[in-house]
Structure formats: structure tokens, C-alpha cells
Amino acid sequence: MNNKSKGIGGINLIACLLLLAAMYWFMGQTGGQKNDFSYYDFEAALKAGEVSEVVIEPNKVVPTGTLVIKLENEEAEKLYVSDVKEIEELLQSYKVDYELEDVPQESVFVTAILPTLLMIGAAFILFTMMGKQGGGMNAKAMNFGKSRAKMSTETDNKVTFENVAGLHEEKEDLEEIVDFLREPGKYTRVGARIPKGVLLEGPPGTGKTLLAKAVAGEAKVPFFSISGSDFVEMFVGVGASRVRDLFQEAKENAPCIIFIDEIDAVARRRGTGMGGGHDEREQTLNQLLVEMDGFGVNEGIIVMAATNRVDILDPAILRPGRFDRKVMVGRPDVKGRYEILQVHAKGKPLGDDVDLQQIAQTTAGFTGADLENLLNESAIYAAKEGRAYLKQEDIRHAFVKIGIGSEKKSRVISDKEKKITAYHEAGHAILFHVLPDVGPVYSVSIIPTGVGAAGYTMPLPEKDEMFNTKGKMLQDIVVSLGGRVAEEMIFDDITTGASQDIKQATAYAKAMVTKFGMSDQVGLINYDNDSDEVFVGRDFGKTSRGYGEQVATMIDMEVKRIIDECYAKAKSILKENEKILHSCAELLLEKEKIPREEFEALF
Ligand code: ADP
Ligand code: MG
Ligand code: ZN
């Protein structure tokens, strides 16, 4: 942005001043006193017996306060303290006279009414301004519709792929974009179509923003970044005009990258909002789509976007010619975590007892941001202790603090849980591999997903199928049960971790019986009463099943028979492959995530 908003008109100036004044009142009138009498001076004076009297003036915000310290032969000094109680104790221990004043009660006018009035005044002026915008006078000054994008140019964006630890596959995926931005000619010459949009998807804190910046840094092109929520303003039309403006600026600076962080704020599925949807957001999204369709394929603009909620995005945004490239940015595995720790340990002197490898092993489920936070907290702890380097002890402290503080976000996983998960996932994976109609396994992981699952086994469907066969459906059920079966085989106890699997297996078996006519007992009758399209009004009043007690019993028995048979099958296959079960689980415990080739090498 070429700083077009330099000229602040007189009226704006007044508005700004009023706002500042209001803020000052709100924040309390504490700051502003300038002196260089420090707490250490105070302590020294106490020790030397130079303090004759102290007046303690508590602030409204207890327990902070101000000390007025009368020193012998000198004028009084002021000192701002964070805990009045502590000071009292200190003074008592030195037997110094002190006087404690009451907590001040300010008039309601000063604390509440005055700032509110100031705010209203400022808001009023701003609105008047807006009214005049069309009239031309000072129209440029406010820049309401201007994009709020921050542009960083080649020189001030220093982030490169080197700053992004781990994420090797992701970086490889983005390498070609970097190459294109560096040398567009190379691609246009042979008529290659480079993706216009790249969507980075993954949980918060995994490095999506960092990765986007690094692409710009690697390619040495300008980087326009804006957050989805910046588009969504209270004035209808502002978002759309911001989008237009952003693309205009980008075109002037091509080749470049536009980065839209948290795109879900604008690109939510249209027309689903309660009470008629959100006009403003729809307009903004439409404008975004228009702009993305509008620029030529190889104009040198790449739009990158990040989200952690791909499921709520409007499908229109994922169409070819828009965000047609998706890069999944997952939580790091042990190796990735080790590399991230190394990056963030730079500039933090580590004591010789610090073992980053061991930290990496105990932080399953942590994202890059969590790890950065962990080291930062450790450094703060070390600083508090007055040490110039970090000890393993500091990291342990920080670990406890972070692990407990954000329990939901990155739960610290015990070794036992990890082991159970490893066997559970290995159970699924082996069945996927052995059974002919399902699989193959694309990757197996015991990195917690953050949405409640302790791990996952991802199959890679080899062909698109029009319909399921009975055999395949049965095998799917066998695979679903494999996790639980493996747990049972290895541990005396079973866990609640398989509830989702059991639910899925049951749903499959039930559909086979009531919907697909795959049970000879029940026959070719559809007893499935969850109609595909659910009408709230219609479904409410409906209580009857539409069939009798006898049929219900028969369905239940058939479902149970299918599940039991599949369970037995899962058990026998895993028994046959028990050795592999062990070796797979061990490999998972070591690496946390194993790709297809390494998994298949076990057989
Ligand atoms: P996201 O955009 O996915 O929410 P960010 O890119 O904002 O996450 O990451 C937040 C911070 O976490 C980064 O500034 C960086 O310090 C740290 N971080 C995350 N992932 C990595 C990584 N792979 N390598 C190094 N640092 C990382
Ligand atoms: Mg981000
Ligand atoms: Zn499972």
C-alpha cells in the first residue's frame, strides 16, 4: 500500500484526539510519572536507614499503588509498586513509619460519564465524515473502502523456508509456486497452467501463516496479507470494495502473493445463515470469486489462503481456477517437533542438560506455536531465576504450565495412552492391508488430531466406485472393529477410544440390513426410516418406526450377527499377524507417523 492515507484532515485530527483522551481516561490515570527512582534504590535506602517516612497511596486497581517516599536530606520520591501488601510487610520488617491511605473513590462523572461522552463525540464526528465522503470533500482521507492489506516487500520479508521447520512435504508442494513466481516465463512458454489459489489447511498454530510468508520470501516477491475478518465490516459493501482494492494493488505489484488468513470468516457456505444469511459476507465472497476468475491464469498473482475449517467453506471457492490446490498442514511428528525446537532454540543458550530430542518425544500433539511457546516460557523462567541459560528444569516447569493451562489444545499424552493408540491404529492398518477390497493404507499416525481422535489410519481408495459391494461393506466393518480387537489382544483392559469405530460399524451393519437388502433373514425390504432429506417439521411429530416389534427384533439380531462375525474375522486376522502388529506399533511409537512404503515394508 503506497500510504495514500497520509493526509489526515483537521476534523479527523480532532476525532483522533478525542479518542485518545477517552482511552486515557479508561485506562486509568496511572502512567505518565517520570522519575528514575527504582525499586532497587528504595531497597538500598531502606537498608541504609535513609527512609524516614512512606505514604502508601493504593490505586483503584488493587493491590497496586504508589509510594511517596520521604528520604533524609532529600525531597520525596515516588515509586509505583505492584503489591501494596508486600510493601507494608517490608516496611514493618525495617520498622519504618508508614501511612496507608484509602483506596480512592472517584466521582462517577470522571470514571464513567466523561469517557463515554468523549467516545460518543468521536463517533459522531466520524459518522459526519462518512456522510460527506460522497460529496468529495476530504473523501480520500478516511479510506473506508481501501484494502487493509499489509504489504511487505522483498526487502522486509526475511522469512524463508529455512525458518519453517519440519513440514517437508508441504514445502515440496509449494516449491513449484515459488519457482513460478521467480520465473513466470519458464512456465508460460510451455503453456503450463499454474494454480491461481492455494489453500493451506490445518489446525491453528501449525505454521500456515509462516509457510505463506516463506513462499513470498523464497520467491522474493511482495506479500499482501489480510485477514478474513478484516473484510467483514459493519457497513455493507465495504468488504467487497476492499477485495476489489486489494486485487487492484496486487496487479500493480505482480508478481506477488495475496494471502488471506482465516478465510473461513468470508468464505463460509453461502445461504446457510440463520435468518436469511449474511448479506455483507456474501457480497464480499462474491467479489472475491469474481476477482479470482477475473485475472488471467499467468498474471503472476498467486492467492494463498489459510483456514482450519475447510468443512465450512463455500464449495464454490474450491472450484478449478480458484483455490484448486490444497496443502494440508498437519501437526508435526517427533522429527518435525525436534526440528521446530531446534529453530526456536536459536538465540536461547541451552545448558548441557537440555535434551531437545527428549522434549520432542514427550510433546505429541503440540503444534509449532505450542513448541515456540514452550521454549519461550522456559526462557522466561530461566530469566526469573537470574540465569543466563536454560536448563532442562526450566523446560519441565514450562511444560507443566503449558500442559495444564491449555489442556484441551495440546493435551500431554501419557506413554500408556500412546502405546494403546499405537496398537489400536496398527490394528486398523493391518486389516486395511490384508483385506482385498479396502485400503491400501496411505499413512498411519498416532499424532492426536485435536478433534478428539488419538490417531488415524488413512486409506487411499484406489478406484472410484459407483457403488459398494456387500463384501466391501463387511470388510469396512472388520476394519472398524480392528482397533478395539488389537487393544484387547495386547492389554488386559479396553478403552473408550473405540466408540467412534463402533458407531461407524453399527451404522454400516444397520444400513446393510435395513437399506440395501443385504441380509437374507430380513430380505429386500427397506426399513430405513431416516429419510435422506430431513424436514424439521416433518420429522418432529414422527414417532412410529413404520414396522412391527417382530421386524425390529429381527433387524437387531441381524445387525448383531453381522457385527459378531466381523469381530471374529478381525480377531483371527490380527492373531495371524500378531508379529506385525507388534512391529507396527513399535514403529509408530518411535516415529508417530508412518507413510505407506514403510508400513508395507513390515509385511
Ligand atoms: P497458523 O497460521 O497455522 O495458525 P502460524 O504460522 O501463525 O500458525 O504459527 C505461529 C507461530 O508458531 C509461528 O510464528 C512460529 O513461531 C511457530 N511455528 C509454527 N509452525 C512452525 C514451524 N513449522 N517451524 C517453525 N516455527 C513454527
Ligand atoms: Mg495463522
Ligand atoms: Zn479406531
Side-chain angles (χ1 to χ4, degrees), residues 216-266:
E218 283 285 317
K220 299 198 173 59
V221 297
F223 180 74
F224 293 87
S225 83
I226 192 163
S227 169
S229 50
D230 289 346
F231 287 130
V232 185
E233 289 277 329
M234 55 180 159
F235 305 112
V236 175
V238 171
S241 101
R242 282 211 174 125
V243 172
R244 212 173 302 127
D245 209 73
L246 175 63
F247 277 81
Q248 188 55 43
E249 257 175 280
K251 275 178 200 159
E252 286 159 18
N253 288 285
C256 69
I257 286 179
I258 293 178
F259 177 58
I260 305 173
D261 211 348
E262 293 162 37
I263 195 172
D264 34 298
V266 255

Side-chain angles (χ1 to χ4, degrees), residues 576-592:
E576 270 167 44
N577 292 284
E578 196 164 345
K579 260 212 192 100
I580 297 175
L581 185 64
H582 282 295
S583 55
C584 181
E586 268 153 35
L587 193 61
L588 271 172
L589 283 171
E590 185 197 321
K591 304 189 69 172
E592 290 185 2

Side-chain angles (χ1 to χ4, degrees), residues 16 35 66 130 137 185 196 265 393:
C16 290
N35 64 22
T66 313
M130 293 216 3
M137 176 211 159
K196 276 186 191 172
E393 174 74 9

Side-chain angles (χ1 to χ4, degrees), residues 145 179 206 308 332 370-371 405 435 471 512 580 594:
D179 199 39
T206 44
N308 44 22
D370 294 333
L371 292 169
L435 294 168
M512 288 177 69
I580 297 175
I594 43 185

